[in-house]
Amino acid sequence: MKKNPLSLQVDMEDFLPATDAEKEYMVQMRPSTTFFKDGMKRLLRNKVATVSMIIIIVITLAAIIIPYFWPYSYDTMLGVRPGKPVDASFNNLAPFQYGKTELKRIEAGEKVFPHVFGTDSAGRDYFIRVVYGTRVSLGVGFFASLIVLVIGITMGSIAGYCGGKVDMFIMRLVDIIYSLPDTLMIILLASVMKVALGPVIDNNPVLNKLGSNMISLFIVFALLYWVSMARQIRGQILSLKEQEYVLAARSTGAKAGWIITKHLIPNCISVIIISTALQIPSAIFTESFLSYLGLGVNAPMPSLGSLASEALNGLTSYPYRMVIPAITISLIVLSLNLFGDGLRDAFDPKLKS
Amino acid sequence: MSSKTLKYILKRIAMAILTIWIVITVTFFVMRAVPGGPFLSEKAVSEAAQKALEAKYGMDKPLMVQYFTYLKDIVTKFDFGPSIKLRGRMVIDVIIDGMRTSVKLGVCAAAIALVFGVVLGAVAALRRNGFADKVIMVLTTAFISMPSFIIGSLMVLILSVKLGWFPANGETAKGLILPVIALSLSPMANITRLTRSSMLDVLGQDYIRTARAKGVPPMKIIFGHALKNSLIPVITYVGPMLAYIVTGSLVIEQVFAVPGIGRAFVSSITGRDYPLIMGTTIVLATLIVIMNLVSDILYKLVDPRINLE
């Protein structure tokens, strides 16, 4: 039937059910990839980042698991026994050597677990001290980054979303903290908090276990290190909040908190992942630096920095005690840095320089 | 200089002064908040002696009065009061004494880091993906991942203990060689990477192609066009680098027993010499703030297109 081209009459043929051939078009050829999967795929294609990730996983697992079955503990002085004079033969053992009583037990046919890295000047098994030091350093890096992450996201998203006076106030605060020389301020606060927090910590069993230095370290991180994260999140949110979907959410009556948590922060996730990954090695660096100055973890708890610092005294006779923590900390920081770079390339190719 | 640039510079200077004031204030109140005060020592001090000490150091007056006196003395006379543990010495004298060695150390380290960093970065960029580039990138990655005290301790171990080439003690001029190198490696690595990436960026620009097409000799292109422009981002790093060197020298001076301000600072912490801790913190912080200021202003002057806001 010939139709007048200007007719407004509906063409019924357009409304026929789809044929099988037409339905084929709608079938998904390949499952759609999520943001996370896509990033992981790109990450795993990067050999350097993959190797670094494996190294980090191995070191972390070792630091968590080994203390459970290792027969020595990090603070037992092997030469000291109740009711007997101190057995000095346990102090400063070279790797794979044994103290007097242990030698007797070996002669008697017993099996004694070797001191893989020897013992330190107080007769403590050095291997387990290094493992514990790694655990402490990794733990500090991880938790400090977590604190920075939470505070940075909160402040950054509030500043970015609210804008106006709130933004002004937060950003001036950020500017000021940013221009403070952080290491000096950390040393100052850490050296004071050790004294100031003493009584509070001693009365609390949980805090007491952590030690005053560790707590002041976390407080300092919480006070000073959130600024760069907050800056990045703010920048991201400033550009995101002009997007149409935020307008749509707002026009359907969504509240600020909902928009921030459901729409804005998920879209900042690449910035968050990357800066957290790069924050961990910097926190480990700072912790080792403070431990080296004697402001880190409380003795007898070791950290890689304090182990290196103690080893400096016996450098001529026991150089390996310096080298072992030095290599461990360098390996950890190196892998974390390379992994962080890999993450950046994988999750935010735009940032790639 | 446009009025906008001038405004920016004035704003930065105001910000720097504000920062220094905050550092002084925070340092003062944090130190006064310590329970027991600076005279808390192992020996029990009688009530009268305690009072006398407090009177001597002006600590019997109200807190705000102490604060303004402290502030006024610093601004007008650079006077940080007497040291508590080093009897009969003024804090400022201890700082100046330490600075003599530390400034030498820091300036040498900064110069080495700048010169070698720029040269290595340029070489790496020109030989992109070649052997030299790979070696340089591997080495710089390693240097960035090692804390300076680790580099320093390993150098003591290998170069002075095992090989005996350099003294491990930093009190002589020759003894300063190792600390300078240990301090400069990490900033040098950063400058190398920065120069490399900005040089690669510049080498891809149209005006380099134009120069090449016109037949400008390669050396002239590298030094006259590429290197000059690729140094701009390096200027921004100068401030943070000096900050790194100042704080890095705290541990490096400890490792090599250099009699500088860093060692004085660390021993003031362990000895709880509060006036000395305050004085060194303020002086070092002021130094860092000023250097960041200069580096930012230079950056703006060299390339006025850049908007630092």
Side-chain angles (χ1 to χ4, degrees):
Chain A
M1 187 179 78
K2 190 150 185 307
K3 234 171 64 177
N4 180 357
L6 294 174
S7 159
L8 289 171
Q9 200 176 8
V10 174
D11 186 359
M12 292 312 286
E13 273 177 29
D14 286 347
F15 292 87
L16 290 177
T19 61
D20 284 347
E22 277 169 336
K23 278 182 188 165
E24 291 261 298
Y25 289 127
M26 303 303 287
V27 174
Q28 233 177 7
M29 304 285 278
R30 199 160 59 167
S32 68
T33 164
T34 62
F35 169 77
F36 186 70
K37 264 194 213 154
D38 189 39
M40 282 312 280
K41 212 169 77 191
R42 254 176 293 174
L43 184 67
L44 291 175
R45 226 181 285 145
N46 182 343
K47 272 190 212 127
V48 179
T50 315
V51 171
S52 320
M53 189 170 74
I54 293 170
I55 293 177
I56 296 166
I57 292 174
V58 169
I59 293 181
T60 314
L61 285 181
I64 294 172
I65 295 169
I66 288 178
Y68 284 110
F69 66 81
W70 203 256
Y72 307 109
S73 99
Y74 71 90
D75 56 353
T76 322
M77 300 178 193
L78 296 168
V80 180
R81 273 188 232 166
K84 286 183 189 164
V86 176
D87 183 359
S89 69
F90 276 99
N91 298 353
N92 293 323
L93 284 179
F96 291 104
Q97 285 197 337
Y98 301 94
K100 263 187 208 153
T101 44
E102 281 177 338
L103 283 174
K104 270 184 205 152
R105 275 163 60 202
I106 290 172
E107 272 172 34
E110 254 185 274
K111 268 208 164 151
V112 174
F113 204 85
H115 304 293
V116 181
F117 291 158
T119 57
D120 68 1
S121 56
R124 295 173 291 204
D125 187 75
Y126 200 62
F127 181 81
I128 198 67
R129 281 184 75 73
V130 172
V131 172
Y132 244 91
T134 312
R135 194 193 241 196
V136 169
S137 293
L138 282 173
V140 169
F142 182 76
F143 283 109
S145 306
L146 206 64
I147 295 172
V148 168
L149 182 74
V150 171
I151 300 180
I153 288 182
T154 318
M155 299 299 260
S157 49
I158 291 174
Y161 189 78
C162 296
K165 276 193 184 128
V166 180
D167 184 31
M168 250 282 275
F169 177 73
I170 294 181
M171 287 332 279
R172 281 296 88 79
L173 193 66
V174 166
D175 280 345
I176 290 168
I177 295 180
Y178 209 79
S179 56
L180 290 178
D182 46 1
T183 322
L184 285 173
M185 287 292 121
I186 283 192
I187 294 175
L188 183 77
L189 290 177
S191 66
V192 169
M193 259 181 233
K194 202 172 146 187
V195 187
L197 289 177
V200 185
I201 291 165
D202 288 339
N203 296 331
N204 188 320
V206 183
L207 294 181
N208 197 9
K209 206 168 176 214
L210 267 175
S212 58
N213 282 349
M214 195 89 109
I215 292 165
S216 49
L217 200 69
F218 285 137
I219 294 179
V220 168
F221 266 103
L223 283 177
L224 297 181
Y225 272 54
W226 55 273
V227 287
S228 64
M229 175 78 89
R231 251 188 194 176
Q232 284 176 354
I233 300 283
R234 172 183 172 266
Q236 197 77 1
I237 289 205
L238 275 185
S239 66
L240 284 176
K241 78 170 181 187
E242 303 301 327
Q243 304 273 326
E244 276 83 2
Y245 61 81
V246 178
L247 186 65
R250 204 181 299 158
S251 58
T252 51
K255 294 205 172 62
W258 174 267
I259 294 176
I260 290 178
T261 50
K262 289 285 163 188
H263 295 291
L264 297 178
I265 291 183
N267 280 304
C268 300
I269 204 80
S270 55
V271 175
I272 294 173
I273 292 178
I274 295 157
S275 39
T276 311
L278 291 171
Q279 186 73 50
I280 296 176
S282 113
I284 292 179
F285 242 78
T286 311
E287 185 278 328
S288 70
F289 180 82
L290 287 176
S291 289
Y292 195 81
L293 294 180
L295 292 169
V297 293
N298 292 26
M301 180 90 86
S303 88
L304 291 173
S306 67
L307 286 174
S309 154
E310 282 164 24
L312 201 61
N313 291 325
L315 194 61
T316 353
S317 327
Y318 315 104
Y320 57 90
R321 273 194 221 149
M322 170 82 234
V323 175
I324 294 167
I327 290 179
T328 317
I329 199 165
S330 306
L331 193 64
I332 291 175
V333 174
L334 180 66
S335 329
L336 281 170
N337 274 335
L338 291 175
F339 179 62
D341 286 347
L343 271 183
R344 186 187 51 204
D345 296 348
F347 282 90
D348 200 351
K350 270 179 295 179
L351 280 177
K352 194 170 179 179
S353 53
Chain B
M1 209 192 307
S2 69
S3 68
K4 222 172 152 190
T5 320
L6 192 69
K7 210 176 138 200
Y8 169 79
I9 291 175
L10 288 177
K11 210 176 140 195
R12 280 293 285 113
I13 292 176
M15 192 73 192
I17 293 173
L18 179 70
T19 310
I20 293 169
W21 173 71
I22 289 174
V23 168
I24 296 177
T25 311
V26 167
T27 319
F28 179 84
F29 286 105
V30 158
M31 281 299 168
R32 285 293 184 275
V34 178
F39 307 118
L40 192 75
S41 63
E42 298 76 37
K43 286 183 287 182
V45 184
S46 73
E47 194 95 344
Q50 178 89 18
K51 283 263 152 54
L53 273 173
E54 280 182 1
K56 186 187 166 197
Y57 291 102
M59 286 172 69
D60 50 349
K61 299 194 187 74
L63 196 60
M64 287 319 278
V65 176
Q66 288 181 40
Y67 170 65
F68 284 113
T69 325
Y70 190 71
L71 202 59
K72 200 186 89 205
D73 283 352
I74 291 175
V75 175
T76 53
K77 299 184 283 190
F78 295 110
D79 181 7
F80 296 91
S83 160
I84 290 181
K85 297 281 144 102
L86 305 167
R87 289 282 146 78
R89 295 196 65 189
M90 297 301 279
V91 168
I92 190 69
D93 296 333
V94 178
I95 293 175
I96 289 173
D97 262 7
M99 277 293 194
R100 280 206 190 99
T101 322
S102 294
V103 165
K104 252 188 269 169
L105 185 70
V107 169
C108 290
I112 288 180
L114 270 176
V115 171
F116 281 87
V118 167
V119 170
L120 288 178
V123 169
L126 292 173
R127 297 264 176 277
R128 187 184 189 181
N129 292 330
F131 179 69
D133 182 27
K134 279 185 184 143
V135 171
I136 290 173
M137 288 320 275
V138 167
L139 281 181
T140 51
T141 315
F143 289 148
I144 288 175
S145 306
M146 285 160 106
S148 55
F149 67 87
I150 296 270
I151 296 180
S153 316
L154 290 179
M155 280 171 80
V156 170
L157 180 64
I158 296 167
L159 296 177
S160 17
V161 176
K162 295 277 163 198
L163 298 171
W165 289 353
F166 298 96
N169 191 312
E171 274 165 19
T172 55
K174 199 185 171 198
L176 281 180
I177 298 173
L178 285 188
V180 164
I181 297 175
L183 205 49
S184 63
L185 280 181
S186 175
M188 185 196 80
N190 271 319
I191 292 177
T192 306
R193 307 185 71 146
L194 210 56
T195 313
R196 178 180 180 270
S197 72
S198 86
M199 184 99 167
L200 284 178
D201 199 37
V202 170
L203 285 177
Q205 298 282 333
D206 286 342
Y207 60 82
I208 299 288
R209 196 181 308 147
T210 312
R212 234 175 237 154
K214 284 199 303 188
V216 179
M219 276 299 148
K220 207 172 167 194
I221 294 180
I222 292 170
F223 288 104
H225 298 259
L227 193 59
K228 227 154 100 192
N229 281 310
S230 57
L231 286 183
I232 294 173
V234 176
I235 296 174
T236 44
Y237 182 67
V238 170
M241 172 182 80
L242 292 169
Y244 173 88
I245 286 180
V246 169
T247 48
S249 69
L250 298 184
V251 281
I252 287 294
E253 288 181 9
Q254 200 75 359
V255 172
F256 291 94
V258 178
I261 192 170
R263 207 170 61 157
F265 186 46
V266 173
S267 59
S268 73
I269 291 171
T270 37
R272 293 219 204 130
D273 189 342
Y274 291 99
L276 193 52
I277 299 181
M278 292 161 80
T280 9
T281 310
I282 292 168
V283 169
L284 292 181
T286 309
L287 209 64
I288 291 173
V289 170
I290 291 176
M291 284 165 186
N292 277 329
L293 175 72
V294 171
S295 146
D296 272 7
I297 291 177
L298 267 183
Y299 190 47
K300 181 82 183 176
L301 290 181
V302 171
D303 194 348
R305 287 171 308 173
I306 296 154
N307 186 10
L308 287 161
E309 292 306 300

